[in-house]
Every structure is written in structure tokens, then in C-alpha cells.
Amino acid sequence: MSQGSIKIKCTIVRGGTSKGVLIHRDELPSDPKRRDEVILSIFGSPDRRQIDGVGGSDPLTSKLAIVGPSTRKDADIDYTFGQVGIETPFVDYGGYCGGRGVCLR
């Protein structure tokens, strides 16, 4: 590992035409600004080729799910969907594939 690097456990998931990174929320910083910096780094953004990360230089391959135990009794997990910017340093949490939600039992 290079100086300044941190280890983050994650799973890369592919389904249909999409690919995304699944990360437990405890693996990420709690500060939203720092969290987004880490996520952008994981994907290699901003860079249209995302050459230094796991992003595939396409919105279909630059998705993220942050998961953790549910804060509700009627759900198993909480998740937050994120669409990672490719050429812009931005993580959109209000995109078409999710938003803040829960998986109900």
C-alpha cells in the first residue's frame, strides 16, 4: 500500500449491464465530505477513464451502495445508493437507481 492509502473492505457486484461497489457504512468515514472523497478515490474519479480506480468510465459502471444494519424494526438493512461522477468530483445520492431506502422483510 502506498503512503496515505487506507484499506476498505468492499464487494464489486455485476448484474445485467451494471456494475457497482457494495461497502458497509462502517468502512467509510462518517464525515460526508471525507466519505465522498474516499468514494471518488475508489472509483478513480474525476477522470473520464477512471484509470486509477474500479469505475468503468461509464455511469452504468460507477454505482455504489452503502449498507448497514437497519435502523428500523421492519427491515433487515439500510442502504444508500450513490451514482459516482466520472469527470466531476461528485457523488449523487438522489439518482434514479435508489436514494435512501430500506430492504423490507
Side-chain angles (χ1 to χ4, degrees), residues 25-99:
R25 70 176 168 233
D26 291 343
E27 290 289 318
L28 295 167
S30 58
D31 174 65
K33 184 177 190 291
R34 180 70 184 125
R35 178 199 60 217
D36 287 359
E37 289 171 353
V38 169
I39 290 168
L40 290 167
S41 177
I42 290 169
F43 281 83
S45 292
D47 179 344
R48 71 178 173 83
R49 297 176 299 159
Q50 293 180 318
I51 212 161
D52 289 328
V54 300
S57 67
D58 188 281
L60 294 173
T61 56
S62 296
K63 297 177 181 180
L64 166 84
I66 302 169
V67 298
S70 181
T71 55
R72 296 171 40 158
K73 291 183 180 186
D74 64 344
D76 294 323
I77 67 168
D78 287 347
Y79 76 92
T80 301
F81 171 81
Q83 183 73 51
V84 179
I86 295 169
E87 294 187 65
T88 58
F90 181 71
V91 183
D92 180 5
Y93 295 105
Y96 63 90
C97 283

